[in-house]
């Protein structure tokens, strides 16, 4: 639908000396203002020596000379916005077309790297944020028809592993403890002792060297077992979250290839020696200095990252873009890394994009943790799940249904809270409001989709007639107008890599459906409009299902 307007605006742009790249559409906050709105007159007025309203009038005059048949009216609003309204009969028919993912004729290949938990450390709420954002961005891009490669970069060597193994050698094992909890506690012990006990620090440094060299049989045995346990535990979390990775990259494998890159480009002057270490002097580029090889000859995370990014494009030579998702705290680090990549592998640097997200904070203060100050994803999901189980305790669900439904609602509540806001900011998580079945929450969206499915099932049970020619209403409401905006909403979210655009749209859509449900009799064999209303409910359900899929949120069978 938006293409009808955009194509017409592009046709008249040249004649009015308007920059075609400045033409864009938005959905007005209120449907009373129209179905689409453009600020093209406000953007171009000054350079053309006109007021925004005068330019808007000129645009409308030209637009109406060959106005698309589906459009009812075009008018100026406010300081110079141009609002477009479609005809009701056009929308009534358009709304019954199921939304379809775009299929590009030429498939681009995009790798999205996200989550990135480290074995021997806790899978914490930061990983949960990265996973929710990365999975949704992957689905957004994939919805456009591009090929998505989901990647996971994990630190299976390094000081944190040495600290965990040292901790395991000094920690009493508990047979009833989950492996990830055990290794989380072992890491905390090793980390604390490395900062307070010089002897422990020396021992940890030696373990770190042995891990990297694979030179100690006992350390190798502990390391191999712990690594396997942690990776297996991560897989269980990925399955619950609905993520399946295509490639796993490891510091102990791909990361080892980075040292050769540093050695090669040190000779070319990109890196230099400083106090026995090999560093990149970022100050030359308005950045800061970072160490790439320690004075003990060990590669740092930066060096391993170089090995990773070269390996991505070696594995996929036709890769069009690599997107990396991390927390904001790594933004400065990535500015330096991307500058280094620009110097050593400029083609890779131009195809690499870094997206950073904020932290998950709690409205009621910090949750308790058995592994230091880090809150595990498992503990958050479990806490919210228990709250959901109490909330649905009066439902006639079996034990297995309760377990599955509460899990899907809890994860949906957490994901929606993360995805409803712009990616860069911190998220305030309120446990009680996150599981509300009304208002701005994931469960509200899930409940609306389940309610629509229930209406459709009731119609089937009542043998409601929904075949033959559908009688369309003379007027359509907010629900229809929102449904037909779905494809445009997704396109905008794709272009901005902004899942919150879809999340906020779905909340408006669910509100419109529930208002419609409350005021309309949908199933009535004696009402000629009943088949249309049922088809509208199905269109809502289909749209909500695709929207929630993009957010990575499952729809329970019951609620």
């Amino acid at each position: 639908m938006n293409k009808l307007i955009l194509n017409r605006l592009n046709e008249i742009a040249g004649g009015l000396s308007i920059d075609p790249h400045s033409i864009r559409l938005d959905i007005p906050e209120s449907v009373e203002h129209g179905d689409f709105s453009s600020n093209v007159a406000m953007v171009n007025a000054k350079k053309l020596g006109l007021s925004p309203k005068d330019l808007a009038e000129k645009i409308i005059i030209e637009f109406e000379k060959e106005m698309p048949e589906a459009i009812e009216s075009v008018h100026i609003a406010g300081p110079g916005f141009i609002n477009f309204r479609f005809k009701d009969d056009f929308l009534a028919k358009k709304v019954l077309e199921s939304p379809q993912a775009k299929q590009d004729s030429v498939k681009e290949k995009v790798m999205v790297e996200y989550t990135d938990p480290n074995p021997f450390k806790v899978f914490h709420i930061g990983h949960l944020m990265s996973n929710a954002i990365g999975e949704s961005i992957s689905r957004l891009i994939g919805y456009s028809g591009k090929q998505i490669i989901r990647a996971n970069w994990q630190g299976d060597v390094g000081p944190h592993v040495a600290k965990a193994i040292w901790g395991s050698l000094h920690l009493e094992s508990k047979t009833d403890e989950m492996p990830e909890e055990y290794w989380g506690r072992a890491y905390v012990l090793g980390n604390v002792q490395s900062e307070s006990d010089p002897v422990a620090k020396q021992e940890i440094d030696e373990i770190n060297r042995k891990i990297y060299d694979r030179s100690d049989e006992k350390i190798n045995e502990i390391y191999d077992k712990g690594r396997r346990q942690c990776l297996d535990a991560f897989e269980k979390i990925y399955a619950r979250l609905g993520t399946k990775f295509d490639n796993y990259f490891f510091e102990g494998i791909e990361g080892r290839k980075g040292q050769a890159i540093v050695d090669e480009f040190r000779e070319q002057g990109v890196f230099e020696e400083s106090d026995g270490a090999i560093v990149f002097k970022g100050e030359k580029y308005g950045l800061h200095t970072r160490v790439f090889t320690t004075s003990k000859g060990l590669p740092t995370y930066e060096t391993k990252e170089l090995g990773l990014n070269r390996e991505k494009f070696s594995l996929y030579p036709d890769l069009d873009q690599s997107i990396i998702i991390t927390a904001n705290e790594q933004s400065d680090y990535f500015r330096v890394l991307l500058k280094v990549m620009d110097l050593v592998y400029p083609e890779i640097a131009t195809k690499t994009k870094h997206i950073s997200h904020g932290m998950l904070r709690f409205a009621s203060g910090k949750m308790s943790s058995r592994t230091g100050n880090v809150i595990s994803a498992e503990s958050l999901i479990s806490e919210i799940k228990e709250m959901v189980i109490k909330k649905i305790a009066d439902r006639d669900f079996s034990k297995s249904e309760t377990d599955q439904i509460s899990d899907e609602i809890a994860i949906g509540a957490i994901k929606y809270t993360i995805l409803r806001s712009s990616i860069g900011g911190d998220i305030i998580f309120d446990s009680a409001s996150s599981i509300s079945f009304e208002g701005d929450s994931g469960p509200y969206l899930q409940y609306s989709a389940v309610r629509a499915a229930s209406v459709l099932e009731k119609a089937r049970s009542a043998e409601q007639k929904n075949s033959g020619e559908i009688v369309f209403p003379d007027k359509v409401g907010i629900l229809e107008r929102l449904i037909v905006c779905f494809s445009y909403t997704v396109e905008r979210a794709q272009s901005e890599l902004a899942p919150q655009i879809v999340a906020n749209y779905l909340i408006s859509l669910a509100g419109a459906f529930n208002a419609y449900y409350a005021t309309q009799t949908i199933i009535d064999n004696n009402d000629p409009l009943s088949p249309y209303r049922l088809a509208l409910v199905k269109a809502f359900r289909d749209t909500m299902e695709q929207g929630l899929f993009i957010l990575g949120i499952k729809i329970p069978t019951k609620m």
Side-chain angles (χ1 to χ4, degrees):
M1 284 174 47
N2 56 304
K3 296 292 191 299
L4 292 173
I5 300 172
L6 290 173
N7 290 342
R8 184 72 188 104
L9 288 175
N10 276 295
E11 288 172 0
I12 66 178
L16 295 175
S17 299
I18 291 172
D19 177 10
H21 296 99
S22 69
I23 301 174
R24 61 166 289 172
L25 296 178
D26 289 301
I27 299 173
E29 291 186 7
S30 173
V31 294
E32 281 73 24
H33 296 158
D35 298 306
F36 287 102
S37 178
S38 178
N39 67 348
V40 61
M42 300 169 68
V43 171
N44 289 273
K46 186 176 181 180
K47 69 178 182 180
L48 296 179
L50 297 169
S51 72
K53 283 192 174 181
D54 286 343
L55 181 55
E57 287 178 359
K58 287 179 175 292
I59 292 172
I60 290 176
I61 289 171
E62 292 301 316
F63 191 93
E64 289 180 335
K65 287 180 179 178
E66 295 183 31
M67 190 156 71
E69 186 179 348
I71 295 178
E72 179 179 278
S73 64
V74 187
H75 64 276
I76 301 172
F81 289 102
I82 303 175
N83 289 345
F84 305 84
R85 177 175 292 277
F86 283 90
K87 293 178 180 177
D88 285 66
D89 60 345
F90 171 79
L91 291 177
K93 295 173 182 176
K94 192 73 176 176
V95 75
L96 302 189
E97 298 177 8
S98 297
Q100 296 292 328
K102 179 182 177 183
Q103 297 298 321
D104 289 348
S105 56
V106 178
K107 297 222 173 175
E108 291 184 30
K109 189 174 290 184
V110 180
M111 178 178 287
V112 184
E113 177 207 317
Y114 59 103
T115 310
D116 297 353
N118 292 330
F120 300 95
K121 292 180 76 173
V122 173
F123 188 107
H124 54 67
I125 55 176
H127 299 127
L128 191 59
M129 279 197 71
S130 177
N131 181 272
I133 293 167
E135 182 62 32
S136 186
I137 285 178
S138 297
R139 295 185 182 201
L140 260 178
I141 298 172
Y143 195 86
S144 69
K146 296 177 182 178
Q147 182 180 346
I148 292 296
I149 303 163
R150 291 169 170 81
N152 195 336
W153 166 237
Q154 297 173 100
D156 60 342
V157 294
H160 75 279
V161 181
K163 292 172 183 177
I165 290 181
W166 185 93
S168 73
L169 295 171
H170 297 78
L171 188 68
E172 289 186 12
S173 177
K174 292 188 177 180
T175 56
D176 62 339
E177 192 170 28
M178 297 294 288
E180 59 268 36
E181 292 180 353
Y182 169 79
W183 285 110
R185 289 200 306 118
Y187 166 75
V188 169
L189 176 61
N191 190 48
V192 170
Q193 290 303 112
S194 70
E195 295 177 355
S196 60
D197 184 348
V199 174
K201 186 179 185 311
Q202 186 175 359
E203 292 173 350
I204 289 170
D205 288 344
E206 181 62 16
I207 291 174
N208 189 31
R209 184 189 63 77
K210 290 178 177 179
I211 292 171
Y212 202 77
D213 294 343
R214 298 285 296 180
S215 58
D216 186 298
E217 187 175 338
K218 180 180 179 181
I219 296 298
N220 289 345
E221 183 180 352
I222 297 172
Y223 169 82
D224 291 341
K225 180 180 178 181
R227 183 180 186 274
R228 184 175 62 253
Q229 288 177 332
C230 293
L231 294 178
D232 288 346
F234 292 164
E235 286 300 321
K236 294 177 182 177
I237 297 177
Y238 302 147
R240 286 181 78 183
L241 297 177
T243 294
K244 184 174 178 58
F245 289 101
D246 302 295
N247 283 96
Y248 295 92
F249 297 106
F250 296 95
E251 290 184 34
I253 302 174
E254 288 78 16
R256 290 178 183 267
K257 301 176 182 180
Q259 189 60 55
I261 301 173
V262 173
D263 293 341
E264 177 186 351
F265 285 93
R266 178 189 174 189
E267 295 178 1
Q268 299 182 28
V270 175
F271 305 99
E272 54 191 273
E273 186 175 344
S274 176
D275 296 327
I278 306 301
V279 304
F280 172 74
K281 293 291 185 67
E283 286 79 6
K284 299 177 184 177
Y285 308 95
L287 302 168
H288 62 278
T289 294
R290 294 199 74 93
V291 176
F292 277 72
T293 306
T294 68
S295 58
K296 297 180 180 178
L298 292 175
T300 61
Y301 189 81
E302 289 82 348
T303 294
K304 297 167 188 173
E305 191 83 37
L306 287 179
L308 163 68
N309 284 280
R310 187 180 67 176
E311 188 64 18
K312 286 180 179 179
F313 286 84
S314 295
L315 191 60
Y316 298 97
D318 57 345
L319 192 62
D320 294 285
Q321 187 178 32
S322 170
I323 298 173
I324 303 169
I325 297 168
T326 73
N328 286 340
E329 60 194 26
Q330 294 191 43
S331 293
D332 287 342
Y333 158 78
F334 264 94
R335 275 190 279 271
V336 176
L337 181 67
L338 287 171
K339 183 58 189 178
V340 172
M341 287 172 57
D342 183 52
L343 295 172
V344 301
Y345 298 123
E347 290 186 9
I348 292 178
T350 58
K351 293 182 178 181
T352 301
K353 180 180 180 62
H354 175 235
I355 297 175
S356 62
H357 60 77
M359 297 179 65
L360 192 64
R361 303 184 184 279
F362 298 94
S364 59
K366 283 190 173 182
M367 292 174 58
S368 61
S369 172
R370 297 180 59 196
T371 52
N373 294 323
V374 176
I375 310 302
S376 73
E378 180 66 38
S379 62
L380 176 60
I381 295 172
S382 295
E383 178 184 283
I384 304 305
K385 183 174 180 177
E386 285 301 315
M387 294 176 65
V388 174
I389 289 174
K390 292 179 182 178
K391 190 178 183 72
I392 62 175
D394 60 340
R395 268 66 161 182
D396 186 22
F397 298 156
S398 68
K399 185 177 179 179
S400 62
E401 285 178 330
T402 298
D403 181 69
Q404 180 175 340
I405 292 170
S406 60
D407 201 68
E408 291 172 347
I409 293 174
I411 291 173
I414 295 168
K415 284 192 174 188
Y416 176 79
T417 302
I418 293 170
L419 295 172
R420 70 180 175 183
S421 301
S422 298
I423 290 175
D426 289 351
I427 304 296
I428 304 300
F429 187 85
D430 185 287
S431 300
S433 62
S434 76
I435 62 169
S436 172
F437 284 14
E438 298 178 358
D440 191 12
S441 73
Y444 175 65
L445 299 179
Q446 292 170 312
Y447 183 75
S448 300
V450 170
R451 168 177 275 177
S454 177
V455 171
L456 297 173
E457 179 58 35
K458 184 177 179 181
R460 283 191 289 270
S461 299
E463 296 185 353
Q464 168 70 30
K465 302 296 183 183
N466 192 19
S467 59
E469 186 175 350
I470 290 180
V471 177
F472 291 95
D474 295 329
K475 293 288 182 182
V476 299
I478 297 175
L479 180 58
E480 286 97 332
R481 295 187 181 278
L482 283 172
I483 289 175
V484 296
C485 288
F486 176 71
S487 295
Y488 168 77
T489 301
V490 173
E491 286 178 12
R492 183 183 164 200
Q494 288 167 345
S495 67
E496 299 179 26
L497 295 180
Q500 76 270 12
I501 292 175
V502 175
N504 294 327
Y505 162 84
L506 291 180
I507 283 295
S508 297
L509 180 65
F513 168 73
N514 286 306
Y516 183 85
Y517 177 85
T519 57
Q520 292 287 344
T521 300
I522 297 171
I523 302 174
D524 185 350
N525 276 319
N526 297 318
D527 187 343
L529 286 176
S530 185
Y532 169 80
R533 292 179 183 142
L534 274 173
L536 179 58
V537 171
K538 184 179 184 304
F540 163 77
R541 164 74 187 201
D542 291 345
T543 304
M544 183 62 70
E545 184 174 10
Q546 292 198 43
L548 286 175
F549 172 81
I550 288 172
L551 299 184
I553 296 175
K554 297 177 182 178
I555 300 176
T557 54
K558 304 176 182 178
M559 282 185 73

